[in-house]
Amino acid sequence: GSSCSPGQGQKRKQSCCLHKIHFILLFSRQGKLRLQKWYTTLPDKEKKKIIREIIQIILSRNQKTSSFVDWKDLKLVYKRYASLYFCCAIEDQDNELLTLEVVHRYVELLDRYFGNVCELDIIFNFEKAYFILDEFIIGGEVQETSKKTAVKAIEDSDMLQETVEEYMNKPAF
Amino acid sequence: MALKMVKGSIDRMFDKNLQDLVRGIRNHKEDEAKYISQCIDEIKQELKQDNIAVKANAVCKLTYLQMLGYDISWAAFNIIEVMSASKFTFKRIGYLAASQCFHEGTDVIMLTTNQIRKDLSSPNQYDTGVALTGLSCFVTPDLARDLANDIMTLMSHTKPYIRKKAVLIMYKVFLKYPESLRPAFPRLKEKLEDPDPGVQSAAVNVICELARRNPKNYLSLAPLFFKLMTSSTNNWVLIKIIKLFGALTPLEPRLGKKLIEPLTNLIHSTSAMSLLYECVNTVICGLFFQLCVQKLRILIEDSDQNLKYLGLLAMSKILKTHPKSVQSHKDLILQCLDDKDESIRLRALDLLYGMVSKKNLMEIVKKLMIHVDKAEGTTYRDELLTKIIDICSQSNYQYITNFEWYISILVELTRLEGTRHGHLIAAQMLDVAIRVKAIRKFAVSQMAMLLDNAHLIASNTQRNGICEVLYAAAWICGEFSEHLEEANQTLEAMLRPKVTTLPGHIQAVYVQNMVKLYASILQQKEQAGEKEAAQEITQLMIERLPQFVQSADLEVQERASCILQLIKYIQKLQAKEVPVAEEVIALFAGELNPVAPKAQKKVPVPEGLDLDAWINEPPSDSESEDEKPKTIFHEEEQRHSRHRQPEIDEEELARRREARKQEQANNPFYIKSSPSPQKRYQDTPGVEHIPVVQIDLSVPLKVPGMPMSDQYVKLEEERRHKQKLEKDKKKKKQKKEKRGKHHRHNSLHTESEEDIAPAHHVDIITEEMPENALPSDEDDKDPNDPYKALDIDLDKPLADSEKLPVQRHRNVETLKSPDSEVPLVEKKSKKPKKKEKKHKDKERDKGKKKEKEKKVVEEEEEEVKKVILQDLHYFSSCCYLLLSSFCCLGTASDSFLQVTVSVIFENKSTSFLKSMELNVLDSLNTKMLRPEGSSVHDGIPVPFQLPPGISNEAQFVFTLQSIVMAQKLKGTLSFIVKDDEGSTHEKLDFKLHFSCASYLITTPCYSDAFAKLLESGDLHMSSIKVDGISISFQHLLAKICFHHHFSVVERVDSCASMYSRSIQGHHVCLLVKKGENSVSIDGKCNDSTLLSNLLDEMKETLSKC
């Protein structure tokens, strides 16, 4: 991709080419952001600008077009599940199909955890969605390829939380 | 579902939880902003409360708002508070918030270091996990540096959950703190063979990512990855590995052949599209070319000229992008040089350029030289000549190992009649003679010979391009006349009447350089006191110079008449017996050095000079064009600057630089960047347009007395052979010496280019750079590319300085719960204390034996210092074995220390113990020396068995990087217990404690030396105070002497000075003062870390009193 806008291109290069997956965005058909995970450090202002831009690009695409978009010096890989769009930004040499599989795996994980996941689950338990994502991907790299292990790690840490809750509910608190 | 259970409990506790907030926002669609600002106010109130649960809830809500686009950076400190909550529920929320909104610019981030370290070492794996996950999002260079060692330790955590995360985070740490790569890499590499597939795949991920950016450093891992690729069934891992091989194949062409089969299999068998795509992609980008080249070979081998031609043509296209894959077909290309068809020969020549190496250069050039001799038709011959020169001179003479050979090749090339490329040869002669200092003597002798035989070269002067070489010859002989043996003869050759038939510019150089020659001869004669000879030479000049004065060429005429006058003047002085040589030689003093093309760019900007600042303020826009003030600057420039904004962005600068270059290129008065004098020739009129008349000579011209390049080829071959033999010998020796090192990856490139060292050490003069120029590599690198920093050689052994910084415990950390630190074994060890004491006595008996051992070691190793370190640590298991390590023989060499630890094994049980294996978990600093070929997981077998009640001792060697820090190594002893009922496998965990005190040698010191040491001011200072001391001062000093290896220098009342030395020669001085119930110790030492660790250890000893 060479359509990097001048000036900004320099900056992007500096901070962006650090990871395999640069960021993951979840947004609704109405263009509402539901989850954002950045594996690069960028100023908030720039993040907001990028989010706006990408949501617009993807929402304006026809349903039947491919899932890949060249964007600046990165590639966007996205997929729609029900009312939610899942979008990843990856580097030039990275494998698009693999990224689609990553997205799909994440949806599967959410599904397992919430049981038939829907957009509302993610809205109301957005921190859980983050925790699941963190168990699956770390620093832009897939850390756990086994569904079972990833979900188990979340549930185990939830159980840990459970005992703490019980502890807090004791009269002493 | 865990989630359901968790829900509800939090709801009841707060006015508004996250769900309420989300619901609220959805219900206030019209006035969302107002509602949210109201919520933020509430949150601010909640954050002020002391209850951590309330705070966590507030931070959770903030994190949601952050996603909606609200700035929450003001709450950074509260987030840290929640992160440091002891309860996982809150900690997790804190870390989530931090990972969403912290970045390198967040200033409070440095406050988190200790908290994160504490969480990393938490006994709860989820605490550790959450800290690692958070770190992956907001790690800064500082955090990376401070925590690198902690994270590296976690790579060997018992839980795969943690290992996996730690491995992945390490990649981020490398990016932020590249120094950590080398120390951490061995452990990372180990993880490739981790029993847990998740950890393994994480390690593959990280190494593949690293290798993709700097593949050459990871070539040695290729066999390992190949094994993984053929054995792994995990598609995620496979894709990574294939990607890695895609990066490695261009560097190691042989890999391609190996890969084709497994890749083809994968392509045929896999059902995963992503994997299929990756395979195909790799094949297209790399392997494909190898396949193509192999097929093209068939084309070229075909007898059909057309196919041959097209094959070569296609080859040359591949050569541009994948030179390595073409290189293996050198034999075939060389054959094509013999082809009858000139067009095919020319194609083959093109290809050769990209195929040479140090190894084959001479061979290829030799072949080309034969073709030069045989060649019919000047076009092809000229093409050969240029190719020879191109091939030899490419990449700064990278492939030339013997410059004598090259010079003689150049000289041989002067035999070429009728070539248009004389100036090329001349330029090469000049360049080599100027830049390769070591070759000057040889070059001068060859050039002198050329000058002597000028009549052969210049036989048909005006129409012969080859006479250009005389230009170079004359200049070299003049400039480096100090190397000339027969200067007189050369001078005479230059003064021959025939010279006047040479082209004008050559004559001009002749004239100028004969003065240089004359000057050096004059000096020589004067120094030898041969006045007459000096006068004779002057006379010769005066006689012969007039022929140049009459030249039709202005330059020659002017120089000659000027010089003639000068020499006449010298003659007058000589007649008066005035010594003149020194003054004449001063005319040519100083050396000419080549200037680097980048030199101008490298001139450092002097301090205080701002190149972007205005020299003259730009006139305001209101001013009309013609009112513009007159400046010394170019008008164009002035107009430019008027339009320019004060801030110029990169793009504009680049554009301007480009424009300037263009302008300079067109400006005849601008000195071009190339240092080669070649350019000057291009301007020489006529040379190229002169019709070439072919002279038919039946016998190839040989300049009499000239050395043939062949003889250098032979010499060089002999030299290489000898070198190789020597190297082999050395290698064998090394192998004998170093048992521990293995060179597995060497087998991969046996014919390494680097094996061939240049003949006499030739140092190619790097072109001159301005003073204070920046190091040259830098400008080739993109400073913004974070991967460049990771371009690190991983095969070099670790140096002392590369150790990862290990954080000392600060006061803050004493809050840490002590349970996590105390190892199980140490608890156990309290039980059999009595036995220990007994044992100590035994050790003393063994004192003599120790002495013996010491001698043995001394004989084996020639290293300098040998020290006995005592009483390392005791540990034991109540049931079967008593282990005690008692002594340590250390050898200090410059880079690392070797310590031998003797361990006594005492069988306390009634069973027979056998197959004992001792293993230790190496730390970065301290490593157990294992036999060749074994990994760090392998234990070392104890060379004996133990019947009941028997004790024996075994020695283990450790290498240390540094002694300033105490080390505790965890270890395991596995053994088989055999009794009547059968045998069982047992394990004994222990800890090996290398205290800092054990590295001190009791060394006596006199009080005056001690005083001098204290005054020197080279020592760092630190002190401690211990309360509640009841023992006598005498007793206390004895304790310090015994346990910490000090000696008393002086004692006055309840005050004493003490001294000791480390095995690395650190001085340690103590001043011990006893108060009422306390004792204070002031210490001074060369190394502050060592000192503070020593004092800490002392504190521990004393607090037990």
Side-chain angles (χ1 to χ4, degrees), chain A residues 6-7 10 13-15 17-20 32-44 47-48 51 75 91 93-98 101-102 105 112-115 120 122-128 130-131 134-145 149 152-162 164-165 167-169 173, chain B residues 1-3 5-7 9-10 12-13 18-19 22-23 26 32 51 53 60 63-64 66-71 87-90 92-93 96 99-100 102-104 124 126-127 132-133 136-137 161 164-165 168-169 171-172 175-176 198 201-202 205 209 212-213 234 236 239-240 243 272-275 277-278 281 650-651 782 784-787:
Chain A
Q10 280 291 328
K13 238 189 201 136
Q14 193 167 32
S15 52
C17 53
L18 289 172
H19 321 279
K20 199 177 121 57
K32 280 250 186 279
L33 188 66
R34 294 302 179 207
L35 188 141
Q36 50 165 330
K37 189 82 196 177
W38 296 80
Y39 298 109
T40 59
T41 38
L42 288 177
D44 278 350
K47 282 186 191 172
K48 273 186 212 167
I51 291 169
K75 293 189 289 200
E91 273 172 42
Q93 322 97 295
D94 286 321
N95 190 323
E96 292 93 337
L97 288 173
L98 187 69
E101 278 181 42
V102 167
R105 181 59 58 90
R112 264 204 191 196
Y113 183 80
F114 289 106
L120 281 180
I122 295 171
I123 298 174
F124 281 103
N125 299 288
F126 89 113
E127 86 276 22
K128 300 286 182 199
Y130 276 123
F131 294 149
D134 285 344
E135 283 304 325
F136 178 42
I137 295 173
I138 202 164
E141 290 284 342
V142 174
Q143 65 161 320
E144 186 50 71
T145 53
T149 321
K152 188 165 179 310
I154 300 285
E155 285 179 353
D156 283 354
S157 34
D158 277 345
M159 288 313 288
L160 197 68
Q161 177 163 351
E162 172 67 6
V164 174
E165 300 289 333
Y167 169 80
M168 288 202 318
N169 285 340
F173 178 71
Chain B
M1 270 270 101
L3 173 72
M5 290 188 269
V6 175
K7 271 190 186 173
S9 53
I10 272 188
R12 271 166 272 124
M13 295 185 329
L18 176 65
Q19 269 79 11
V22 175
R23 220 167 278 136
R26 290 166 75 83
E32 193 181 289
N51 189 331
C60 187
T63 314
Y64 186 78
Q66 191 264 349
M67 185 178 70
L68 297 184
Y70 290 87
D71 175 35
K87 296 184 176 61
F88 177 70
T89 322
F90 308 140
R92 193 187 196 187
I93 288 169
L96 174 64
S99 63
Q100 289 299 98
F102 282 9
H103 49 86
E104 267 181 44
N124 178 355
Y126 293 106
D127 282 349
L132 284 172
T133 311
S136 78
C137 294
Y161 178 78
K164 176 182 75 185
K165 282 183 194 277
L168 287 169
I169 305 300
Y171 178 59
K172 306 281 268 190
L175 287 175
K176 299 287 178 186
S201 106
N205 261 345
E209 280 302 311
R212 257 167 76 187
R213 320 290 173 172
N234 185 334
W236 307 80
I239 288 181
K240 280 285 177 182
K243 203 154 246 166
M273 282 304 168
S274 48
L275 182 58
Y277 175 66
E278 193 59 55
N281 209 3
E650 271 293 292
E651 196 109 335
D782 178 3
N784 293 337
D785 184 359
Y787 302 109

Side-chain angles (χ1 to χ4, degrees), chain B residues 585-680:
Chain B
I585 212 104
L587 285 174
F588 309 104
E591 197 164 332
L592 290 174
N593 284 332
V595 176
K598 287 177 194 156
Q600 177 85 47
K601 212 168 88 189
K602 297 268 177 173
V603 178
V605 178
E607 226 173 290
L609 173 64
D610 181 4
L611 288 174
D612 293 329
W614 293 106
I615 296 174
N616 299 313
E617 275 305 314
S620 65
D621 280 341
S622 58
E623 266 180 313
S624 72
E625 197 78 359
D626 35 22
E627 271 175 335
K628 157 177 77 182
K630 275 186 189 165
T631 62
I632 50 166
F633 294 103
H634 208 262
E635 240 174 70
E636 274 270 294
E637 200 60 32
Q638 186 69 25
R639 206 170 296 139
H640 264 292
S641 48
R642 280 168 57 88
H643 299 297
R644 219 165 284 137
Q645 299 291 319
E647 273 174 276
I648 304 153
D649 60 338
E650 271 293 292
E651 196 109 335
E652 173 64 11
L653 276 176
R655 203 189 55 72
R656 281 162 64 186
R657 218 172 283 141
E658 200 44 52
R660 204 176 320 128
K661 257 188 218 154
Q662 205 64 43
E663 199 183 314
Q664 285 163 3
N666 297 331
N667 183 350
F669 299 110
Y670 193 84
I671 299 163
K672 304 295 191 296
S673 55
S674 166
S676 120
Q678 200 173 311
K679 287 245 162 64
R680 271 179 264 161

Side-chain angles (χ1 to χ4, degrees), chain B residues 75-113:
Chain B
F77 191 75
N78 301 107
I79 291 173
I80 294 181
E81 278 181 306
V82 176
M83 275 164 77
S84 48
S86 56
K87 296 184 176 61
F88 177 70
T89 322
F90 308 140
K91 186 183 289 300
R92 193 187 196 187
I93 288 169
Y95 271 103
L96 174 64
S99 63
Q100 289 299 98
C101 73
F102 282 9
H103 49 86
E104 267 181 44
T106 310
D107 45 3
V108 291
I109 220 164
M110 60 186 190
L111 298 177
T112 60
T113 317

